[in-house]
Amino acid sequence: MHDTIADAPAPDDISAFRQEVRDFIAQAADAEIREAGRKMTSFFPSFEPTMRWHRILHRRGWAAAPWPREYGGPGWSVEQQQIFEDECRRAGVPRLLPQGLAMVGPAIMKFGTPEQKQRFLPGIASGDDFWAQGYSEPNAGSDLASLSCRAVREGDHYVINGSKTWTTYAHHANRMFLLVRTSTEGKPQQGISFFLLDRLDLPGLTIRPIIGLDGFPEQCDVFFENVRVPLDSCLGEENKGWTVAKYLLEYERGGSSSFATHFRNELDAIRRLATSSGDGFGGRVVDDPVFQQRYARLLMETAALEATEVQFAALEKGSPESGPMSSMIKITSMETLQRITELAVDVAGTPSLTLQLQALTVGSGVEPIGPEEALTIMPKYLNNRAASIFGGSNEIQRNIIAKLLLSR
Amino acid sequence: MALLTDDLRAMLDDSVDKFIRDRYDFHARQALVSGQTGYSADHWAQFADMGWLGIPFAEQVGGLGGGIVDTLGLMRRFGRGLVVEPYLAVVGLAGQALAGADDGEARDAMLSALVAGDVLPVLAWEETASRGNPAWVELSARGDGGGWCLDGEKITVLNAPQASHLVVSARVAGQAGDADGIELFLLPARAEGVEVTGFPTIDGHRAGQVRFQAARARPLTFDGRGGPLLRRVLDQAGLMLAAEGVGVMESLLQRTVDYTRTRRQFGVPIASFQVLQHRMADMYIATTQAENLLNLTAARWLPDGDNAEAAAALKAQLCVSGRYVGQQAIQLHGGIGMTDELDVGHYFKRLTSMGLLFGDEAWQLRRIWQAHAAA
Ligand SMILES: Cc1cc2nc3c(=O)[nH]c(=O)nc-3n(C[C@H](O)[C@H](O)[C@H](O)COP(=O)(O)OP(=O)(O)OC[C@H]3O[C@@H](n4cnc5c(N)ncnc54)[C@H](O)[C@@H]3O)c2cc1C
């Protein structure tokens, strides 16, 4: 914490920085990018406009905000990163997809060879490449270590057989990081390797999008049938992939993005809707004390979450407390988010029941039926049921915390 | 209270079970949902043949002479099958409004056709600012030389795009929110001055916004009797919705129990994790409480009396139980629960809509308090 404070720019510079970010976003984010931001109903905004925004930010040197300068990051302090994130949320631009920037990128920095860093990091930073995360399998979800997708050495190649599932945006991806079993000896964790696939148009590799609750494809099944990949596909040592995976999961679970700002924006939108909604008795929903209490409770939860995020940011990744703390952030943030989406549905009422796939599609030009603010409310509610499932379910996170408590 | 004999009710239940089993597997249902009309006219004709459309109507219009309570066995089974045919809207809402109409001629003509499966009347009552309150009617009816003209807008009109007729609540006197001054009107869905914007809803059903501009309509009620009739109809429909909801919840509970028994993680069935066992125990409690409350409410239902507190409590319980059971069913299924391919998500979405229809939880709690405080 002290280090970053010492590094941080003076208050005057900070407000100038904020203004610079704000001005840039105002000028650089075009209508389609903003539309993608407005129509974001899950953790994964519309692919094309989001990647275009990524590339625009990259040209300004800002795409890989938390990355060190040597890998193409802007070299910002924690405070600057926070301001940048805040301004992005405030402007309503789509959140950049995390798989490259926040997941495999940091893992390559930590475990990659100089050659791998040089080969892969620039494409991640620039947004020219999109990486899908191939961890889960039909029979290996919470129990990831039991995964069975196999890679066997044959001459100068590995041959992969098996399948992955729930692979978000695999149908858009040109690259994939995946966990494969390279040995069946010892504990299940011991025979896993972390692979980097630099292309997905390989013979024997098929991708099938899965339609979600909201009616859109987001996750995919990925099938491998004798897929040959070069021996240098490993990140870290062969059979030591679990170490890499665990490091990266911690990034996924908490701390790599700031939820508090996002939640406050969502709450603001609910408040606007409640202000313009009748309560059925001639009053407004926003004046209903029951609404006010539910809303205030969510503000409280958001404040407590922010405090934990601040605490977490000050911890060293991989320190003894950081594991449970990231579990705690995962649980609290995702449950608060779910309650926010629930309140939104209640405020929107029956107009939120309208299924509007076309109006939700970026660039469709189709006007929503009913109030514009209600368009995204139901898909958000539906999609965010997944928030307590992915990235290690909330049950698994509670197991982690309980284990720590009982081991003391 | 049920009006039909136990034998007849058992026979009806069996015939619905058979229909769901033979004609309504999940894939057949999904094909209807994504089809042009959103339901099957063949099924509807079959409903008429089986006497299902006539369950709560008088024998003089071809009905079985039962009451709303006699439809609950069917509704529960429709919940299990996720049936999308507009039974609730046509028989439960518009049909009951017609059955209570003062205009005997219109009533008998419409109900005879309804029971025969020849017309699909639906009820348009909700407005932008009404939430659950059927007395919040801004849509106006003006008399002009013997006829009546409707002007205004209704939202979330269940099955509007499929309807042949609309039964519409309109204000003839007073202000939005007044319990008095509301009448019900009848007009063809394609009448001049009626504009229906139809859409699918998240639960696989259809609904619409309906705009009325100087649309000519026939009054069904007089002397302010439309308002109380509408209230009664919505409360009865709440019973039907609760029965359907119980069918949905018991299906979700069953699927979740089955799934956790077979799904293995960490070398064991996930049903062996105590936290999931407790979650399922709570799903069972939520489902069974709703079921028991439904049964008792139905048994004590006053066909012509004031059921306000009981109806509101039942609907609120449906909201609470439905939300819990739906959310936990998804959670315990993990990723697969989030997909369109598995029926679990569709049951969940049906419960989600049920929570909002005819007044959400907050609205119902407010009604309970009002009824309770007034007593
Ligand atoms: C929207 C979404 C996006 C995703 N994106 C990706 C992606 O890009 N890449 C990827 O690899 N994966 C992805 N996943 C997969 C995700 O990581 C898994 O869904 C998650 O790990 C849970 O696994 P599962 O779905 O197999 O559920 P299961 O592991 O079968 O769990 C089912 C239920 O059992 C509970 N449970 C399991 N074990 C225990 C235990 N020991 N104690 C108590 N309860 C337990 C779970 O909490 C859950 O409620 C995504 C999932 C979703 C929903």
Side-chain angles (χ1 to χ4, degrees), chain A residues 137-144 146 166 208-215 277-283 285 288 290 294 338 342 345-356 369-370 378 381-386 388-389 393-396 399, chain B residues 126 128-133 136 155-156 177 197-203 209 263-267 275-276 279 323 327-328 330-341 344-346 348-349 352-354 356-358 360-363 366 370:
Chain A
E137 298 181 5
N139 292 314
S142 298
D143 182 13
L144 188 58
S146 71
W166 317 129
R208 186 189 73 103
I210 302 170
I211 309 291
L213 278 187
D214 67 345
S277 299
D279 68 352
F281 293 94
V285 172
D288 174 3
V290 177
R294 274 177 84 183
Q338 290 177 335
E342 242 173 65
V345 166
D346 286 343
V347 171
T350 62
S352 67
L353 297 176
T354 310
L355 181 68
Q356 311 206 50
I369 299 170
M378 184 56 75
Y381 173 71
L382 298 175
N383 287 331
N384 281 309
R385 299 319 311 162
S388 47
I389 296 171
S393 74
N394 284 14
E395 286 79 17
I396 296 297
N399 286 347
Chain B
E126 186 173 350
T128 306
S130 60
R131 312 228 126 223
N133 188 359
W136 192 267
I155 64 163
T156 326
T197 308
F199 44 80
T201 48
I202 55 140
D203 53 4
Q209 283 182 340
R263 171 72 173 167
R264 296 176 72 86
Q265 289 290 276
F266 304 98
V275 62
L276 302 192
R279 223 64 78 67
R323 180 177 289 170
Q327 292 181 350
Q328 292 306 327
I330 304 260
Q331 183 67 24
L332 269 57
H333 276 81
I336 192 93
M338 290 298 300
T339 67
D340 186 67
E341 288 160 37
V344 167
H346 297 270
F348 165 68
K349 287 192 274 189
T352 302
S353 331
M354 285 181 174
L356 294 177
L357 295 176
F358 315 152
D360 67 3
E361 181 192 338
W363 162 264
R366 197 159 166 171
Q370 285 171 347

Side-chain angles (χ1 to χ4, degrees), chain A residues 175-193:
Chain A
R175 300 194 163 174
M176 182 181 300
F177 55 103
L178 80 161
L179 296 177
V180 289
R181 184 156 298 290
T182 37
S183 162
T184 48
E185 273 161 38
K187 289 208 311 183
Q189 286 83 347
Q190 281 165 359
I192 292 171
S193 299

Side-chain angles (χ1 to χ4, degrees), chain B residues 257-275:
Chain B
V257 169
D258 289 347
Y259 184 74
T260 57
R261 272 207 194 105
T262 49
R263 171 72 173 167
R264 296 176 72 86
Q265 289 290 276
F266 304 98
V268 293
I270 58 173
S272 64
F273 300 126
Q274 199 166 49
V275 62

